[in-house]
Amino acid sequence: MHKKLIPFFIIMLFLGMSILPSFSTQQIKNEQVQTINETITFSTPDIKVNTNDIKSSITLLEANSYLQLPGKPILPCYTQTYSFPTKTTIHDITIQPDTPITTTPIQNDLTVSKAQLPPGKATQEIVTTSSLLRSVTNTLSYPHQWYEYTINNGIKEGEPSLLLTIQLYPVRIQETQLYSVSSFTITITYEEPVDNKPTNTHGYDLLIISPQEFIETLAPLVDHKESKGIATQLVSLQDIYDGTIFETTGRDEAEQIKYFIKNAYDTWDISYVLLVGGRRPGIQETWYCPVRYAHIFWVEEGRYVSDLYYADLYDGNGNFSTWDTDENNVFSEWKNNGFFLDDVDMYPEVYVGRLPCRYTWELQVMVDKIIFYENNPSSKKIILSGGDDFEEGPDYEGEVACEKTLDYLQDYEVERVYASQTDVTTDNIIDALGTGATFIHLQGHGSPVKWSTHKPDGFDEWEAGIGTYDIMKFSNEELPIIVIGGCHTAMFNVSFTNRPYCYGYIVITEGIAWWFARKIDGGGIASLGYTCYPTGSVGENGDLDGDGNNEPDCVESGYGFMQLEFFKAHGQENYQYLGECWGYAISSYLDHYKLPATRWNYHTIQGFALIGDPSLKIGGYP
Ligand SMILES: [Ca+2]
Ligand SMILES: [Ca+2]
Ligand SMILES: [Ca+2]
Ligand SMILES: [Ca+2]
């Protein structure tokens, strides 16, 4: 559903004025109609003068979120997500900032937000112009509205849900005045569906989609999954394109696959989708199992692969989530110097992972590894490795994020390979790993072929880290799930002829996340990383994730937050299947950072990829 934004161009206009959503109110006489009525109150905002730079910053006691747009003042705001059973009809949403609006003069320029950049680029460009307060708010108030909201369809606590996220802006500025309100009244009128249960009789848990070449190799995996109680349906791409099972719908192969997944979700109530097949060898880009490119330009990156496309089946209107709402055949589009064109829901309904194999032998390795893994219970052990990722900020961000993992995995044995204590090298990580572990969490900088970090304050040099060819050295018996925090670490559209972001390092045919997962005799069982630039967060600008505990921003937003939500899903929320943890992380990130729409957060969400089996039982079956 499109966000309803109410722009205000002259701030005096809305003094005392009612704010009505831009859709019509219906006459409601149904007994099923329910109403949420809520008042959210705020203290008087505090304008603090920072003694070090004679700039002011604005704080608000109840804020649980911050508006941080580059070059503009950092403003406290408030986010809340309401969840309803899926197919709930929302009849009306009224969000009313209560009068009076208080006006306070701002004496100093405000601290402005720095440009959001990916890890590794975060130190290069910082906006410091002192007169920005006036320049951004000369004629328009900032932000331009008191609130915005978005309605999406996804999964909350295991149930298909309609998710309404409201972002309130109780503090706004114009020129040198601060405008604030002490409360908002929110009224939501909605109607839950009468019967929400799927009516299918032939349910499946796992759908495996594969080209014909790989079908035979997957047969033992289907048998194994069935033996563990995971009802599995294996379907060839040809069957999807030919309409053998469900009628073929869609403008191209990727959309036909997505419609098939939607039909399987509706009819069979599937939870997991395993896509089998990567890029075919060769100069031309062709795929064993097609991909969808998202087109949100950020930094120098104009497009990137997003398998989240296949997981986000429905939007907040209950319609098929096309990712191309302006219908120009460019998906998830936000050009370099243009507007945000496609309204993308992004909340997953199913959990999607991919084995981007090119050869039958690679797939055979993965099938054997998954069966071995699930039949052999794991230790409870984690390897953490990181260093100092950003030149600015007092923290060693990679180490801080790694340590935070232990908040969620409290009974785990831990081995640390931190740049502040030792050299971050493949050999040291292999020593720490020993015979194996449940997880490896690497947090730092990446490329399709390399992961590394820096020693504290040693930004001119790189630690040796792990390169693609170092993966040959791993000979562990127990197979960890590897979370590789860094840019492009899960890129799987690389080839001999397509090697962006590799900086002349090494000639490769496949990415580091996939090589880790499909290593023969050792390595991992699955990897998570990014198919594009995610955003990094550095420094300290408040309790960005709004959990009431102000921590360094590197664990509260950006890629650090995403990865930690993955660990939280398993360790704290008790999700047992790999794909559920991936989906939890994506959904939580969306709850916090879908609004306001920003290029860097959309990259981070759409790029976070699971290279592995989404139905994998973490730690194996007992
Ligand atoms: Ca489009
Ligand atoms: Ca969705
Ligand atoms: Ca926090
Ligand atoms: Ca913080």
Side-chain angles (χ1 to χ4, degrees), residues 71-120:
K72 298 191 176 172
I74 299 169
L75 296 180
C77 51
Y78 185 85
T79 301
Q80 184 148 310
T81 297
Y82 300 85
S83 67
F84 307 92
T86 195
K87 294 181 182 158
T88 293
T89 306
I90 296 184
H91 290 292
D92 193 33
I93 301 168
T94 308
I95 301 167
Q96 175 73 56
D98 297 321
T99 52
I101 295 167
T102 306
T103 310
T104 316
I106 308 168
Q107 305 296 346
N108 304 72
D109 280 345
L110 294 170
T111 305
V112 298
S113 188
K114 290 161 185 168
Q116 297 269 343
L117 288 168

Side-chain angles (χ1 to χ4, degrees), residues 166-180:
I166 293 176
Q167 180 117 314
L168 304 176
Y169 300 111
V171 174
R172 299 168 63 187
I173 55 172
Q174 186 178 35
E175 295 190 328
T176 55
Q177 300 292 330
L178 184 150
Y179 296 84
S180 61

Side-chain angles (χ1 to χ4, degrees), residues 251 295 323-334 341-343:
R251 74 189 91 173
H295 296 82
W323 284 31
D324 182 28
T325 46
D326 70 346
E327 298 178 345
N328 68 346
N329 293 328
V330 182
F331 293 78
S332 187
E333 186 179 8
W334 197 346
L341 293 179
D342 292 312
D343 194 0

Side-chain angles (χ1 to χ4, degrees), residues 126-146:
I126 296 168
V127 177
T128 51
T129 313
S130 61
S131 60
L132 275 163
L133 172 61
R134 280 175 184 78
S135 65
V136 297
T137 61
N138 199 12
T139 52
L140 296 178
S141 63
Y142 176 77
H144 299 327
Q145 64 276 338
W146 285 111

